[in-house]
Amino acid sequence: MPQLTRRHALGAAAATALTGLALGGLAQTAGATSDLGATGHEHPDGHAGHGGPQPFSETFQGRRIEGAPSHGDAHHGGYAVRIDGEELHVMRNADSTWVSVINHYETFTTPRAVARAAVIELQGARLVPLA
Amino acid sequence: MTVRKNQASLTAAEKRAFVDAVLELKRTGRYDAFVTTHNGFIMSDTDNGDRVGHRSPSFLPWHRRFLIQFEQALQEIDPAVALPYWDWTVDRTVASSLWAPDFLGGTGRARDGQVAEGPFAVSGGRWPVTVTVDGRGFLRRALGSGVPQLPTRSEVDSVLAMPTYDTAPWNSASDGFRNHLEGWRGANLHNRVHVWVGGQMATGASPNDPVFWMHHAFIDRLWAQWQARHPRSTYLPTARTRNVVGLDDVMRPWNDVTPADMLDHTRYYTYDTMA
């Protein structure tokens, strides 16, 4: 069986999300959905200079992913992401893109995209906090 | 004197000696301390806060010192061992001898990404992955999956041509050689290689994969090549700068070494060739 690549999987996910949002009348652009950045089009979050991204909560590939502003800790970019209740260490870059400890050398336009990428990378494994 | 060689030119005996020393370091628990240190810096280095190991000018001297420390630990086990470097502009496919079972083993299997052959396969019992954020105790890779192509020689040359070491704001948004080499801007060299390998190499705990050292030895050699091409350029910033390690400031975690101390690698090792 050929291995499903992260980009392909996320492209499919982004396409699904866009379809869902189109039903709600919110989709504006459905361009290059093969790129992770496409998930940024689904919701007006993660843009520079307009405050932090909005909260999200959804089930993605069977995992509960959640994100919310976290005012207590500016170190994480003022935002916390959880997968099935366990915190995923995320960080905001100077250009307002995001990385996580699971995908640390690749940038994503939103915390939701970074959470989805982590779910794909985890392949069902549980997040374990580092001591 | 330590001579770092291209991994592609190592003899079978040299490969075996390197692998054996790495496995011994793992057995004693010292290896995992390097993984822990690296992940700690990955998580604490931020663009708008204190930053030492990554996304900052000291990315290069910090990793130079980190690799020297690792190499010295290997040499306590086998004094003949030196860190090899991986020139990913040349050895850029999964068919490279780097990934053969007598060296690092290949890519992960489809089901779970597990590296199932070679000395670092979990089935051999000598490479448990313990410093991890997800509880999976085996080495994983997905060569060429996260991004299809490794950087090319012409991409490397375009970055080596940049005359300025680094620029304000001294982080992932900077222009200049350091940030283009690190990969947050432009052609994306160092970061892209981590993504290309996949598995633990794409995470903050990337030194779990022994290829980490060979990747960074090549990045380190590119720094030396840049210095040779730009003899009038130097490490920046030279002055005290908030949240950033200046030329004469000490670097955590050692606190007894500065970027200035790391500028001349020939005090510690040489490369088989600098061309």
Side-chain angles (χ1 to χ4, degrees):
Chain A
M1 188 185 84
Q3 188 162 5
L4 186 65
T5 70
R6 185 158 66 235
R7 282 193 186 282
H8 284 137
L10 275 176
T16 304
L18 283 163
T19 304
L21 285 165
L23 291 172
L26 290 171
Q28 294 177 338
T29 53
T33 55
S34 66
D35 190 85
L36 293 177
T39 55
H41 292 303
E42 75 194 43
H43 200 283
D45 54 4
H47 292 288
H50 301 289
Q54 296 299 307
F56 67 89
S57 179
E58 68 179 24
T59 300
F60 178 75
Q61 294 194 353
R63 311 287 297 264
R64 194 73 201 161
I65 59 174
E66 300 165 284
S70 159
H71 297 296
D73 193 353
H75 167 79
H76 293 184
Y79 200 89
V81 172
R82 293 180 185 278
I83 299 177
D84 291 340
E86 294 286 352
E87 183 166 4
L88 172 70
H89 186 277
V90 299
M91 186 182 292
R92 192 176 205 177
N93 298 317
D95 67 355
S96 295
T97 60
W98 296 78
V99 296
S100 82
V101 74
I102 298 285
N103 298 93
H104 201 88
Y105 303 92
E106 186 176 8
T107 61
F108 301 85
T109 52
T110 65
R112 189 202 302 255
V114 96
R116 287 175 171 178
V119 165
I120 290 166
E121 186 66 25
L122 284 166
Q123 293 185 291
R126 195 170 65 89
L127 271 181
V128 177
L130 274 174
Chain B
M1 185 52 149
T2 299
V3 179
R4 294 187 181 173
K5 300 176 184 174
N6 188 322
Q7 62 79 25
S9 67
L10 295 187
T11 65
E14 287 170 328
K15 290 181 187 180
R16 199 156 48 238
F18 175 75
V19 166
D20 286 349
V22 169
L23 291 172
E24 177 63 9
L25 212 54
K26 182 72 163 183
R27 190 187 66 78
T28 63
R30 292 184 69 189
Y31 191 96
D32 286 345
F34 285 94
V35 184
T36 300
T37 295
H38 187 268
N39 193 66
F41 276 83
I42 276 272
M43 295 205 301
S44 67
D45 295 324
T46 59
D47 275 336
N48 298 311
D50 209 26
R51 47 196 184 275
V52 181
H54 306 85
R55 56 179 71 230
S56 61
S58 46
F59 167 70
L60 290 169
W62 190 91
H63 281 84
R64 178 165 284 175
R65 181 66 185 82
F66 192 57
L67 262 63
I68 289 170
Q69 187 178 17
F70 181 74
E71 189 170 55
Q72 288 173 345
L74 292 179
Q75 290 173 341
E76 287 176 29
I77 294 161
D78 182 348
V81 166
L83 288 183
Y85 62 86
W86 169 31
D87 182 347
W88 25 255
T89 70
V90 174
D91 297 303
R92 49 188 301 107
T93 73
V94 297
S96 164
S97 60
L98 174 65
W99 307 112
D102 70 339
F103 205 9
L104 297 190
T107 194
R109 61 191 187 190
R111 176 157 58 85
D112 58 3
Q114 184 180 138
V115 173
E117 61 176 16
F120 305 101
V122 71
S123 55
R126 299 182 74 182
W127 201 255
V129 174
T130 55
V131 181
T132 172
V133 294
D134 59 32
R136 284 176 289 180
F138 51 86
L139 181 64
R140 292 178 296 113
R141 290 187 192 125
L143 303 182
S145 174
V147 61
Q149 296 294 331
L150 288 161
T152 63
R153 186 70 227 179
S154 66
E155 287 172 324
V156 166
D157 286 338
S158 72
V159 172
L160 288 178
M162 297 177 175
T164 304
Y165 177 78
D166 207 347
T167 65
W170 320 109
N171 62 17
S172 74
S174 290
D175 200 356
F177 168 69
R178 186 275 311 168
N179 197 37
H180 281 81
L181 179 60
E182 189 170 359
W184 300 110
R185 272 187 75 164
N188 187 355
L189 303 184
H190 153 269
N191 282 353
R192 196 199 323 179
V193 176
H194 277 275
V195 175
W196 186 89
V197 175
Q200 280 93 1
M201 262 293 272
T203 77
S206 47
N208 273 308
D209 192 326
V211 81
F212 172 91
W213 309 102
M214 301 188 197
H215 172 37
H216 272 279
F218 186 61
I219 293 293
D220 185 88
R221 183 167 169 271
L222 292 178
W223 183 23
Q225 289 179 331
W226 177 85
Q227 289 174 304
R229 289 195 196 190
H230 305 280
R232 285 190 297 280
S233 298
T234 188
Y235 180 94
L236 295 171
T238 53
R240 272 271 154 99
T241 304
R242 179 177 155 82
N243 291 331
V244 171
V245 181
L247 179 65
D248 295 310
D249 300 331
V250 294
M251 294 186 287
R252 291 184 290 112
W254 309 285
N255 296 324
D256 62 356
V257 60
T258 66
D261 296 330
M262 287 289 108
L263 297 183
D264 179 11
H265 71 282
T266 63
R267 293 166 59 189
Y268 302 93
Y269 52 86
T270 57
Y271 284 103
D272 52 358
T273 167
M274 283 304 293

